[in-house]
Amino acid sequence: VADEWGTDFVQNFHKLNLLEPYKLIKATSCINEDLELVRTLKEKGYTYQIDDGIYYDTSRFPRYADFAHLNLKDLQAGARVEFNQQKRGAADFALWKFTPKGTKRDMEWETPADLMDNSETGRMGFPGWHLECSAIIKRELGDTIDIHTGGIEHIPVHHTNEIAQSEAANDKPFVNYWLHAHHLTADGAKMSKSLGNGYTLDDVNERGFSHMDFKMWVLQGHFQSDRNFTFEDLAAAHQRLLRWRNAAALRHQVKNNEGGEQPSRAVLKAILNAVSDNLGTPQAMALADQAFVDIWNTAVSHISKGNLREFLDTIDELFGLNLLGTTPDISDDVKKLILQRERARDAKNWEESDRIRAEVEQHGIAIRDLPAGHGSVWEYSN
């Protein structure tokens, strides 16, 4: 299961043209680090043992409720019926869970004797979810990290528990900056199997959309805004990306004109400023969108090929939409057809002109006629 979905994740990661991390760490590669973290917390008096595992005593960490502004009294009063009565507090969480006696898990490891509060040996167990994250971070990045990301649903439990165990063990601040993304729903409801709205990127592809279409849709919204995914909105994002790609294709049709007025270098500064303001991608995308509209509405003779290439390089580096990689030049054969059509239009042979246009469209290329005397440009039809 882990290999199948881990491979799927990495493949889609690359198809989305994301910057690859220096390392991708499997939680199972850090079991020794998990156990060492439990050992440190036990030595400092933060743990206790009950029948189903070794737990973190949140009462020993006075700042536990601060990060999520928790009301621990309400949490205690609202504990579920299945709440383990051996726990000292409702917020206490498992660092290391014991495998129930008489059962065997697919992944389990022997609990070291020095972590047990009794003489029992050979007890099998496995790390808690929160423990794994703290152990990986400590091993790979150190006691304090600059940025930690995650969803807002992680704030009251997962990230709160990471802070408690890491800062108690290391006696140092855990994270300098937190970036929490808000919820994503689909078709107006929480994603679930029963509703059939738990879409994957394969589902997106089967509907005729690309990974870059989905990425465009994501970038159109702010990470701190709740988002609702629909295929209608994805179709709109596809059309927006197509407009950008067609503007990028103009670089194949613009002569080496360094004196052109478009695109303006000033717009790049404005786009970068928008992204620098709390990752304001919606504002940055709107600015880029207007820049592409201006490029598209500018006579080809007034477009600077150098400025256009610089603009496209920056947009690709910033948003990773692969505009340059997905907008190849057309073939020489199609170029010859477009030239033949220009001659037919000059001769006012409209029937021949329409016939050639239709032939060009069979190659997935549309022709846009410019005002009289300015010829035409080609664009992708999809």
Side-chain angles (χ1 to χ4, degrees), residues 148-311:
H148 197 316
T149 65
I152 56 172
E153 69 274 13
H154 293 152
I155 294 174
V157 180
H158 183 48
H159 289 166
T160 288
N161 291 348
E162 281 189 69
I163 292 169
Q165 61 198 10
S166 292
E167 294 192 357
N170 302 326
D171 295 318
K172 294 179 181 178
F174 180 42
V175 176
N176 291 327
Y177 301 98
W178 292 88
L179 293 179
H180 288 104
H182 281 226
H183 291 125
L184 174 65
T185 58
D187 301 326
K190 182 178 179 181
M191 287 180 278
S192 69
K193 289 184 179 180
S194 61
L195 294 176
N197 65 346
Y199 302 117
T200 67
L201 285 168
D202 286 340
D203 296 325
V204 167
N205 295 157
E206 289 174 3
R207 298 282 191 101
F209 299 104
S210 70
H211 281 60
M212 291 299 100
D213 292 331
F214 177 73
K215 190 173 187 180
M216 172 64 89
W217 178 83
V218 171
L219 291 169
Q220 290 176 165
H222 196 269
F223 78 97
Q224 288 180 319
S225 298
D226 289 342
R227 301 290 305 283
N228 178 55
F229 173 84
T230 68
F231 279 99
E232 289 78 10
D233 288 343
L234 184 60
H238 167 80
Q239 289 301 318
R240 188 181 199 180
L241 180 58
L242 180 60
R243 291 196 303 271
W244 288 26
R245 291 175 60 237
N246 280 328
L250 287 173
R251 74 187 187 280
H252 302 302
Q253 305 170 71
V254 174
K255 294 181 180 180
N256 191 17
N257 176 15
E258 296 303 328
E261 61 192 40
Q262 288 290 348
S264 168
R265 285 192 170 94
V267 72
L268 286 179
K269 183 177 181 181
I271 291 170
L272 291 171
N273 285 341
V275 174
S276 298
D277 184 6
N278 195 27
L279 295 180
T281 58
Q283 296 82 0
M285 300 291 279
L287 289 167
D289 209 34
Q290 185 57 54
F292 279 117
V293 169
D294 292 342
I295 293 168
W296 196 239
N297 291 330
T298 298
V300 175
S301 60
H302 290 169
I303 297 176
S304 166
K305 190 170 186 176
N307 282 14
L308 178 58
R309 183 58 191 245
E310 180 184 354
F311 181 76

